[in-house]
Amino acid sequence: MRRAHTPAHLACLALLCSSIAICLAQTPPPSQPDPTVQLLQSQPQVDTASPVVAAATFDPPVVRPGGTSTYRVTFNAMMDSVQWPEDLVAPKQLELQPGGRGQLLLPAGASLQPRTTFNTRVKATNTGAFTIPRYLVYVYGKPVTVPAADLQVVEDPAVAVPATPEVRLSLGATNVFVGQPVSARVVLEGNVNGVLQALAQIKLVGEGFVTDTTFARQTIQPMDAASGSLPAFVYETSLTPVTAGVLPITAQGFTAGNQFVGPITITGRATILGGTPLYELRDTLPVMLKVRTIPQDGRLPGYHGGIGQFRADSPALSTNSVQVGEPVTFSVNVMGSGNLARLIPPAPPKVEGWKVYAGKPDPGPAQLIEARGFITFRFTLVPTSEKTKATPAIPFSYFDPASERYVALDLPSLPIAVKPSAVPINLDDFADAAGPAVGARAEPKLSALAPGRGKTMASLQPWQQHPWFPLVQLAPVVLFAGLWGWDRRRRFLAANPEIVLRRRARRALQREWTAVRRAASVGDTPRFAAGVVSAFRVACAPHYPAEPRALVSTDVLPLLPESESAMHTAVRAVFAATNAERFAASQTPPADLLALRHELERARTLLEEKLR
Amino acid sequence: MKACSHISQRDPFVVALQAAMLLLVAQIGFSAGGDFHAGLNAYRSGDCPRAAEVWSKHSQLQPASGTFINLGLAEWHLGRRGPAVLAWERALWVDPFNADARENLRFARKAAQLEAPTLTWFEAASLWLPINAWALVAGISLWAAVAFVTLPRILRWRRANWQQALAAAGFAIFLLCLPSLYGINTRSRLGIVLEKETELRLTPTRSAQTMMLLPAGQPARWERARGEYLLIRTGYGQGWIERSQLGLVCPK
């Protein structure tokens, strides 16, 4: 059954065809290759596909007891791909010490073949034949067999083995300060026949220093040796220690036959080895460089890291007559020995009448500065007042490692005529020219020791986090509540004064009765009677109210129960005895009053209850 | 003579107790001062570990800004950046106007490339007075205001405008103190990472995934604790570290 093409189908087909046509029409032209990629592709490729082969030799293969030989293992592979073992398996009679390691790319047809060498310094003390057996080393992740190597240690070799010329490293100074440049000299002497070869890829190995290759130079020159004057290949460079301590430094390079890299100066007669270079890695014994930090004491203004011995030439001005606001250039040449090429101009001073802009470093390359022997500091000075008669002196100093002290080398001021400006100028435009403005934050530094304890606290925890803090906050509430209660009570007592009278009477009664008991205990009848009367008067006074001393027994008795006749009798007797004593001076109270003590005690209790 | 007789009439036990208390207070004060100067002597003779030990003990006995500054200097010279920064932060906690502590913190943070704690506005406001001064001012102002409102009623005084004004001022001062009090509470959760390369963990477990390594001296905020681990928030993110790896400015 045939399917009919609907208009929608036809429209889709047309759209698809037109899209394909547009895509074909818009196919971009072949893109231009990237120049960087082109450049990389034009370089010979490094051969990493060839089978890796290892070679191991002793150089020299025969030594006398106590002599040193170099165990050299070479791979035709990149150094980073070789998993070199930290410890080699060797006879106990051999002392092994790790030496240099390096990589060289040698042209091999259309490609470059890597050659990686690992040196181990071997010292033999006993005579005999020693073998470092074969072992496996992983290169590019695959095991590679390093063949065995033999070393003969004999007292008197049957065949004279020519001594391999050693590479030596010497430093210009071995006791220096951080930042002080030190010259380094790598020497490879020719053999006894006067034949020598060059070294390639020379480098200083170690930590804590920076090698300045801009000053490197190589020469061939005659040198005095035990067998007479021999030609030697000399490589000179400079290093700058950056950390304090004792730094072991070694040098290494590949023997390159007559293949010199860069310019070389040849002095005297020399026979240079011809043929294909062997490219053997040679390294030196370590040289110890003792590095100290520069002392902070005695540091002078204007010190910016200069180490050496310097002197300044006479400074010069671009002109000797300027207007206010017109810049003038102050330039001075500094010469001497040390880190001359790395000298930094001192910080511009901040002086009244001048705006001094920071000096710019000498634009010349370091080699040029070293070659010409001086560096130029240039400062731009702008006078801000016509009253100034001379340029400001600029503090400058350096550290002299020989005398181990700072030396001032201030750049002197120069006379100059400053005229008023012909046009009005805004001196604020020169702000911030001489360092940070007034009020700017200075560089932070550690403070000195605090001489005393300063402000103290009982605890680092704030008060509001202590458990007692809420309780303390309750204290004012308690105080306010107490004040409120006290005021209320005060007003209540003011409205009811009898309460106060009764309370006072009760206290007086208790006080008087204490005296009564004391008198009774010692048998003092007069005091006993007087005390009882006084107590009863005090206890009865609030009920009338009346003055206590005005009361008599007839005032007291109504307050006692009528049924207590014995009590009434006792009270009357006491009052009578007291009155008798008071108004008839010769009569003393009868002693049997004390017998009434019990009844009187009951009466006191009843009266006290009435006061409550 | 009168005073002597007055004392002699007191309970001997009370007198002995008071004397013992006085001796104890004097002993603590003398011991603290002696320790402080022993630390100074050790530091000046180059024995920084001994100085740090002495000042550390002394600061636990009696927190003092000078002790913390010196402790920080000793720790800094020993290469222990975390404890040094913590000591200077504590010096600022004790005395927020201490310029030396502030300068040392600036120096340490610049030298070690460390962050400073990010303070909220109420935490910054809490630095305007010593920490306990806020509680004192807030308490006095609140209760003074309450007193001026309630006492005239209680004591049935005639109401006066000056009482109303003082009450309003007291309430205003109290309200102004509240943000700072809250700021002190939040600042008390600030801490300093003590050890270098402290692992910030994803979970509070020993085998947790390490999200990043924090430098010594890094400020952090303590959020909550779980077992031996603390959940902290730093400028780098949130995670768990061991309790011993964070020193709180205000130890709990």
Side-chain angles (χ1 to χ4, degrees):
Chain A
M1 188 174 160
R2 286 182 65 189
R3 293 180 63 184
H5 290 287
T6 63
H9 284 129
L10 290 173
C12 287
L13 189 62
L15 191 63
L16 184 63
C17 291
S18 60
S19 299
I20 292 169
I22 289 169
C23 287
L24 288 173
Q26 292 185 348
T27 301
S31 60
Q32 294 294 323
D34 187 348
T36 311
V37 175
Q38 267 191 323
L39 182 66
L40 287 172
Q41 286 175 345
S42 67
Q43 297 297 314
Q45 288 193 342
V46 177
D47 178 18
T48 56
S50 300
V52 179
V53 179
T57 56
F58 277 100
D59 179 19
V62 181
V63 294
R64 296 179 190 277
T68 305
S69 178
T70 301
Y71 175 65
R72 185 176 293 123
V73 179
T74 307
F75 300 89
N76 57 334
M78 304 293 286
M79 189 164 75
D80 290 341
S81 67
V82 181
Q83 295 180 20
W84 182 247
E86 292 297 324
D87 297 314
L88 293 175
V89 178
K92 291 180 181 177
Q93 294 83 351
L94 302 181
E95 293 177 16
L96 306 186
Q97 190 181 3
R101 54 183 63 182
Q103 171 187 282
L104 204 63
L105 292 174
L106 300 173
S111 63
L112 292 173
Q113 189 183 54
R115 178 178 292 187
T116 298
T117 305
F118 294 88
N119 279 357
T120 305
R121 201 170 287 276
V122 180
K123 187 175 181 183
T125 51
N126 299 332
T127 56
F130 304 103
T131 302
I132 292 184
R134 66 176 188 170
Y135 52 93
L136 289 180
V137 172
Y138 278 81
V139 183
Y140 299 129
K142 296 176 182 174
V144 174
T145 303
V146 178
D150 299 323
L151 176 67
Q152 300 284 333
V153 183
V154 293
E155 289 284 359
D156 191 11
V159 180
V161 178
T164 306
E166 280 194 359
V167 183
R168 292 198 311 274
L169 169 67
S170 58
L171 300 178
T174 53
N175 190 358
V176 297
F177 290 90
V178 172
Q180 180 183 351
V182 181
S183 63
R185 187 178 166 96
V186 183
V187 178
L188 174 63
E189 288 180 355
N191 61 19
V192 291
N193 300 322
V195 178
L196 65 77
Q197 53 183 332
L199 282 176
Q201 291 199 9
I202 301 169
K203 66 176 182 180
L204 302 179
V205 183
E207 291 182 350
F209 65 90
V210 177
T211 307
D212 198 344
T213 54
T214 53
F215 306 127
R217 60 175 185 159
Q218 47 190 358
T219 57
I220 290 177
Q221 55 186 275
M223 295 193 77
D224 291 333
S227 56
S229 179
L230 289 175
F233 175 86
V234 180
Y235 176 85
E236 290 170 296
T237 187
S238 171
L239 64 90
T240 305
V242 293
T243 56
V246 178
L247 312 179
I249 301 172
T250 60
Q252 68 177 40
F254 287 90
T255 56
N258 57 3
Q259 305 293 313
F260 297 105
V261 179
I264 185 167
T265 307
I266 300 175
T267 311
R269 295 180 60 187
T271 305
I272 300 169
L273 187 69
T276 307
L278 294 176
Y279 294 114
E280 289 176 343
L281 179 66
R282 301 280 182 85
D283 58 336
T284 69
L285 287 170
V287 175
M288 297 299 170
L289 179 64
K290 186 180 176 186
V291 185
R292 292 177 287 165
T293 52
I294 296 176
Q296 295 295 315
D297 296 338
R299 189 164 170 164
L300 297 173
Y303 178 71
H304 254 210
I307 301 179
Q309 290 159 333
F310 304 105
R311 63 184 191 282
D313 211 348
S314 299
L317 287 175
S318 56
T319 177
N320 59 359
S321 176
V322 290
Q323 293 181 354
V324 172
E326 186 181 352
V328 58
T329 303
F330 176 96
S331 58
V332 62
N333 293 335
V334 177
M335 54 207 75
S337 61
N339 55 350
L340 181 70
R342 311 291 183 202
L343 272 186
I344 299 171
K350 198 172 184 181
V351 290
E352 196 176 349
W354 287 95
K355 291 290 182 187
V356 185
Y357 290 81
K360 294 177 182 174
D362 197 307
Q367 301 96 318
L368 178 65
I369 293 170
E370 282 291 327
R372 74 188 183 199
F374 67 87
I375 189 168
T376 305
F377 293 160
R378 286 187 180 82
F379 296 88
T380 302
L381 287 69
V382 179
T384 57
S385 168
E386 64 272 18
K387 295 177 183 174
T388 53
K389 304 292 181 193
T391 62
I394 301 175
F396 177 52
S397 62
Y398 64 90
F399 182 75
D400 184 0
S403 59
E404 299 189 6
R405 63 182 180 85
Y406 292 90
V407 179
L409 190 65
D410 293 346
L411 308 179
S413 68
L414 294 175
I416 189 168
V418 181
K419 301 171 188 171
S421 175
V423 291
I425 58 167
N426 184 9
L427 294 176
D428 292 338
D429 294 343
F430 303 110
D432 296 334
V438 176
R441 298 185 85 177
E443 279 294 301
K445 58 182 179 181
L446 280 181
S447 69
L449 280 176
R453 284 186 286 172
K455 289 189 178 175
T456 59
M457 289 175 74
S459 160
L460 285 174
Q461 211 168 359
W463 284 351
Q464 64 263 34
Q465 291 181 358
H466 282 279
W468 51 258
F469 188 74
L471 298 175
V472 170
Q473 294 304 308
L474 283 177
V477 177
V478 173
L479 178 67
F480 292 155
L483 270 176
W484 176 73
W486 167 79
D487 186 64
R488 200 174 163 192
R489 180 73 179 162
R490 182 176 63 84
R491 288 175 193 283
F492 173 75
L493 292 178
N496 302 281
E498 72 278 4
I499 295 175
V500 179
L501 288 175
R502 287 184 182 191
R503 187 192 299 155
R504 284 180 189 161
R506 200 163 60 245
R507 285 178 190 158
L509 173 62
Q510 288 168 351
R511 196 165 50 245
E512 292 289 344
W513 206 255
T514 304
V516 167
R517 282 175 180 161
R518 197 177 298 126
S521 65
V522 296
D524 188 353
T525 310
R527 279 185 63 196
F528 173 76
V532 169
V533 168
S534 176
F536 285 176
R537 281 173 174 166
V538 166
C540 295
H543 295 291
Y544 289 99
E547 167 64 29
R549 285 178 296 175
L551 298 182
V552 293
S553 63
T554 52
D555 298 322
V556 176
L557 292 175
L559 297 174
L560 297 173
E562 289 182 4
S563 56
E564 297 283 353
S565 57
M567 194 182 292
H568 282 240
T569 306
V571 171
R572 276 195 209 98
V574 170
F575 269 87
T578 310
N579 289 337
E581 184 192 20
R582 188 174 179 187
F583 299 113
S586 59
Q587 193 171 357
T588 55
D592 59 354
L593 275 179
L594 293 173
L596 302 173
R597 186 177 167 187
H598 177 65
E599 292 300 327
L600 295 172
E601 188 83 39
R602 288 180 57 225
R604 197 268 311 176
T605 308
L606 290 172
L607 289 174
E608 191 173 358
E609 284 175 358
K610 278 185 177 293
L611 288 174
R612 292 190 186 276
Chain B
M1 194 66 191
K2 210 171 186 177
C4 291
S5 63
H6 175 68
I7 289 173
S8 65
Q9 285 172 2
R10 282 187 172 179
D11 188 346
F13 176 74
V14 174
V15 173
L17 191 66
Q18 287 176 340
M21 291 287 287
L22 277 172
L23 275 174
L24 184 65
V25 170
Q27 176 64 27
I28 288 172
F30 180 77
S31 166
D35 283 352
F36 182 83
H37 288 99
L40 282 180
N41 292 335
Y43 186 91
R44 284 171 181 150
S45 63
D47 190 358
C48 282
R50 169 79 183 139
E53 184 188 347
V54 168
W55 281 324
S56 178
K57 284 181 183 171
H58 178 239
S59 64
Q60 289 168 10
L61 189 69
Q62 185 175 38
S65 58
T67 312
F68 281 126
I69 286 175
N70 292 351
L71 174 61
L73 289 170
E75 297 280 18
W76 183 264
H77 287 301
L78 288 172
R80 300 199 289 244
R81 290 177 174 173
V85 172
L86 177 63
W88 291 326
E89 282 286 358
R90 283 180 175 169
L92 268 190
W93 178 260
V94 175
D95 179 10
F97 310 115
N98 196 303
D100 284 349
R102 208 172 285 277
E103 187 71 1
N104 289 346
L105 281 171
R106 274 188 68 212
F107 173 83
R109 286 182 173 133
K110 186 170 184 186
Q113 301 281 308
L114 295 171
E115 290 180 351
T118 308
L119 300 181
T120 55
W121 66 269
F122 44 84
E123 288 174 337
S126 72
L127 288 166
W128 295 346
L129 284 179
I131 51 168
N132 289 334
W134 287 108
L136 192 68
V137 171
I140 289 174
S141 59
L142 171 67
W143 291 115
V146 171
F148 281 117
V149 169
T150 56
L151 284 184
R153 288 185 186 178
I154 290 173
L155 303 177
R156 299 183 190 181
W157 294 342
R158 183 189 289 177
R159 284 190 181 180
N161 287 338
W162 66 269
Q163 296 165 356
Q164 303 291 321
L166 287 178
F171 276 122
I173 293 171
F174 172 70
L175 291 175
L176 287 173
C177 288
L178 285 182
S180 298
L181 284 171
Y182 182 66
I184 288 169
N185 272 347
T186 55
R187 272 174 59 209
S188 70
R189 303 176 78 88
L190 272 174
I192 301 294
V193 175
L194 295 176
E195 299 167 13
K196 62 181 179 182
E197 297 184 354
T198 296
E199 294 179 348
L200 189 67
R201 299 158 190 261
L202 188 62
T203 55
T205 52
R206 194 168 294 279
S207 57
Q209 178 188 339
T210 302
M211 295 192 293
M212 66 188 69
L213 296 176
L214 298 175
Q218 170 73 26
R221 277 177 198 274
W222 171 56
E223 298 279 331
R224 60 192 167 95
R226 184 168 179 177
E228 284 303 305
Y229 292 90
L230 298 176
L231 178 67
I232 62 164
R233 186 158 46 86
T234 72
Y236 299 115
Q238 198 172 10
W240 297 85
I241 64 170
E242 292 177 22
R243 275 180 192 271
S244 60
Q245 293 172 327
L246 186 77
L248 286 174
V249 173
C250 170
K252 304 291 178 190

